[in-house]
Amino acid sequence: MRESKLRNKTIRLVLQIYALVLAASLLLIFIFVVRPLMEDVLERYTEQNTYILDEVDSSLDSVAEYANFIAYSEDFLDKLDAYLANPLDAVVRYALETKLYNAKTIKQEVQSVAVEVEGYDIVSSILKLKAEEENLMQSQWYEKIRDSSYSGGFSKGITVQEGGHNIRLIAYTKSYHFKNRKFTLTVFTRYNDLLGRINRYYRSNFDKQYWVTTDGTALFEEEQKEVDELCALFDKEEGWPRRNLNGVLWQDGLLNASYRSVSYIPSSYLLDRIRENIVITVSMAVVLLIGTLVIVIYAVNRITNPLHSMTEAMEGVVSDNFETKLPVDSDDEIGYLSETFNSMGEKLQEYFKQLVKKMEKEQEMKFGLLISQIDPHFVCNTLNTIKYLAMQKRTDDVQKVASALSNILRDRLRVKNFQIYDTVQQEVDTIRQYLAIQEYRYGGEIRLECQIDEDVKECRIPKNMMQPLVENALFHGLADEDDGTVKGIIRIQVRKQGDGLSMVVADNGAGISPEQVEKLLSNEYGASEQKKGHGIGIANIVERLEILYGDLAEFRIRSELEKGTEMEILIWGKSD
């Protein structure tokens, strides 16, 4: 069964349309589903970031409040006043250091507390400050706060060694006034203890998070490279938050400190939050499209299959298969076309049947006309022979010749009933009648030799096929041109040859030249030559063979001058 080009073409067009629809659907899903969901998730992350910043602000504010608590406590101020009165007294200094140490223990995340009175040395809690802490209190940041009035702030982070571990510290420093003397209080806080819980919460929601100062440098120096690499992913001219294909970057400041939070989430984090919704939405869209596609393809098949069947049926009609019928299972245009096609097929079938019958009738009539041709000279001459015999009162001979002529005429007239075939035996009997007449007419000695195989005597062959060859043998081979007598031998041989039948008529007469043989086989002799030869002619035989057998029959002539001629009819078609 040949594929339906119309169906394939339609399905390809439908698939192209659905590909466009799918692309448009995905675009619409992105615009109306993915983007709003992304914005919603982004807003939630922004809210989360704001919440965390508030928590950090609260923690840092507690450090500032803690510093104020120490600076304004009466016991501290008493100890500070005693120290100012006698700064060289070791007991007084120790009492102030003890106070600072006791104050340090109040807040768990405090590493150390130091106070510097203008014009005096720095006094810290009992434990000596680390070198990094001392360096910080000699930095420009510290001097700037110390030299200002009633100002405070948080420092950059520092890392100190303690017990074999690195401890991150941030310092809060603020200047105060007491009895017209300014002093600066510094609280060193362990970063991880103060903001560790919040930072862990930060990291659990964001992929990366760092703290930077107002100038963009990392809070801790060792993080500077990571901060630079992260910020390099985004356009510096954009506002906050900054977004691109990599992800989203926030940078927000704190209320109570000069720190800024740099937090980042990759796009995959956002997609993970909305993945389930996207999968559900896209799946529903794809299922809907596939479902409608199946329905459309089914509809296409329903529409194109009848057309495809009609095409195959038409090809069958072209191949002469007029019995092809199409099912009429709809009342639409296709059903009407199917019904019309069936009706057309029936009419064509009937028309061609009639046409075939007409052609067969015409062929039979043409064939009948060909085999019913009787040379009027033969009839006339035979009647003259009968008249001559009657005048000599040879009544027996008259009866024989008249009976032979009657049999020949009766045999020819049978073609009117389209009895166009005779058995081999009937054909030979007719030839015997014909030769009997010719012997009375021309005299002489004509000997007929028949070699008919027993298994072919009842084979049916076209009527009057060998008699014209016998006639040609008489008048072209055996007739004496001087005295008009006919003398010689005519041999008829009929036998099976392979799957066909061979009929040979031969004589031992004058023979035919090769040029004449070529003319006979090429049908170059016209009607005048046929009349001159007193016979229907070879052309008649060849034409009848063509009508009945086409390429399944062959006519051959073999001849040699002064030795005779042999004409053979080979029929490879059915002869039974």
Side-chain angles (χ1 to χ4, degrees), residues 81-92:
D81 185 42
Y83 173 74
L84 293 176
N86 192 4
L88 298 178
D89 189 338
V91 175
V92 173

Side-chain angles (χ1 to χ4, degrees), residues 82-112:
Y83 173 74
L84 293 176
N86 192 4
L88 298 178
D89 189 338
V91 175
V92 173
R93 183 184 179 90
Y94 181 77
L96 180 58
E97 290 176 346
T98 303
K99 177 59 184 176
L100 293 176
Y101 177 79
N102 291 335
K104 178 187 82 74
T105 59
I106 296 175
K107 195 169 181 60
Q108 182 180 0
E109 57 267 21
V110 174
Q111 175 73 10
S112 59

Side-chain angles (χ1 to χ4, degrees), residues 111-112 130-137 139 141 155-161 166-171 186 188-192 218-222 259:
Q111 175 73 10
S112 59
K130 303 288 185 181
E132 291 83 1
E133 294 173 308
E134 290 179 351
N135 291 337
L136 182 62
M137 296 186 70
S139 66
W141 166 80
S155 69
K156 288 190 66 173
I158 59 175
T159 304
V160 299
Q161 284 281 337
N166 290 330
I167 299 177
R168 287 181 168 185
L169 301 177
I170 57 173
T186 301
F188 289 93
T189 306
R190 290 185 293 275
Y191 172 80
N192 288 335
L219 181 60
F220 294 95
E221 186 176 353
E222 59 268 23
Y259 301 154

Side-chain angles (χ1 to χ4, degrees), residues 15-280:
L15 290 176
Q16 291 173 359
I17 294 173
Y18 265 80
L20 294 176
V21 171
L22 179 59
S25 300
L26 294 176
L27 179 61
L28 293 175
I29 288 173
F30 176 77
I31 294 174
F32 294 106
V33 178
V34 176
R35 285 186 61 182
L37 288 174
M38 291 280 282
E39 294 295 334
D40 181 63
V41 172
L42 186 60
E43 184 177 351
R44 280 186 278 154
Y45 269 105
T46 302
E47 292 174 354
Q48 191 79 352
N49 190 56
T50 302
Y51 167 75
I52 294 173
L53 292 177
D54 289 342
E55 289 293 311
V56 173
D57 254 325
S58 178
S59 297
L60 295 178
D61 187 53
S62 69
V63 175
E65 290 177 357
Y66 170 73
N68 290 335
F69 169 76
I70 296 174
Y72 293 122
S73 68
E74 185 175 346
D75 189 31
F76 170 75
L77 293 176
D78 289 344
K79 298 292 190 297
L80 182 61
D81 185 42
Y83 173 74
L84 293 176
N86 192 4
L88 298 178
D89 189 338
V91 175
V92 173
R93 183 184 179 90
Y94 181 77
L96 180 58
E97 290 176 346
T98 303
K99 177 59 184 176
L100 293 176
Y101 177 79
N102 291 335
K104 178 187 82 74
T105 59
I106 296 175
K107 195 169 181 60
Q108 182 180 0
E109 57 267 21
V110 174
Q111 175 73 10
S112 59
V113 180
V115 63
E116 180 183 4
V117 181
E118 188 177 7
Y120 292 87
D121 294 334
I122 296 174
V123 179
S124 66
S125 53
I126 297 174
L127 299 175
K128 184 181 179 180
L129 294 177
K130 303 288 185 181
E132 291 83 1
E133 294 173 308
E134 290 179 351
N135 291 337
L136 182 62
M137 296 186 70
Q138 295 172 5
S139 66
Q140 291 182 355
W141 166 80
Y142 179 81
E143 291 177 358
K144 183 178 179 180
I145 294 178
R146 182 189 60 188
D147 295 340
S148 63
S149 298
Y150 301 103
S151 64
F154 288 89
S155 69
K156 288 190 66 173
I158 59 175
T159 304
V160 299
Q161 284 281 337
E162 186 176 283
H165 300 286
N166 290 330
I167 299 177
R168 287 181 168 185
L169 301 177
I170 57 173
Y172 176 78
T173 298
K174 184 177 182 180
S175 294
Y176 299 90
H177 286 81
F178 175 67
K179 291 184 179 183
N180 296 322
R181 301 291 296 270
K182 185 171 69 174
F183 69 91
T184 302
L185 183 68
T186 301
V187 178
F188 289 93
T189 306
R190 290 185 293 275
Y191 172 80
N192 288 335
D193 290 343
L194 179 66
L195 300 179
R197 180 185 61 83
I198 298 174
N199 282 334
R200 286 191 296 272
Y201 183 71
Y202 228 143
R203 295 292 177 88
S204 67
N205 289 277
F206 292 81
D207 183 50
K208 296 178 181 178
Q209 191 277 328
Y210 306 98
W211 294 100
V212 298
T213 60
T214 53
D215 61 358
T217 59
L219 181 60
F220 294 95
E221 186 176 353
E222 59 268 23
E223 294 179 344
Q224 187 63 53
K225 181 179 179 181
E226 297 178 17
V227 172
D228 292 341
E229 290 176 352
L230 180 60
C231 293
L233 298 175
F234 297 86
D235 187 352
K236 295 182 180 180
E237 301 300 324
E238 294 181 358
W240 302 101
R242 294 174 181 172
R243 302 171 60 180
N244 59 24
L245 294 177
N246 296 307
V248 184
L249 182 70
W250 285 267
Q251 190 173 130
D252 296 286
L254 297 171
L255 295 176
N256 299 320
S258 59
Y259 301 154
R260 298 182 68 82
S261 171
V262 177
S263 49
Y264 166 78
I265 57 170
S267 298
S268 59
Y269 275 43
L270 297 175
L271 292 175
D272 285 341
R273 293 298 181 93
I274 63 174
R275 189 183 306 278
E276 184 177 353
N277 291 331
I278 294 176
V279 170
I280 292 174

Side-chain angles (χ1 to χ4, degrees), residues 295-351:
I295 294 173
V296 169
I297 291 178
Y298 173 76
V300 168
N301 287 331
R302 284 291 302 272
I303 294 173
T304 58
N305 282 343
L307 296 177
H308 181 58
S309 299
M310 190 174 298
T311 302
E312 291 185 333
M314 288 181 177
E315 290 179 348
V317 171
V318 172
S319 302
D320 299 334
N321 183 12
F322 299 106
E323 297 181 358
T324 303
K325 298 292 182 182
L326 290 174
V328 182
D329 52 4
S330 62
D331 57 356
D332 54 13
E333 286 80 0
I334 294 178
Y336 174 74
L337 286 174
S338 300
E339 187 175 353
T340 303
F341 176 84
N342 292 339
S343 176
M344 179 190 70
E346 292 175 357
K347 291 181 179 179
L348 282 175
Q349 186 177 2
E350 183 62 28
Y351 170 76

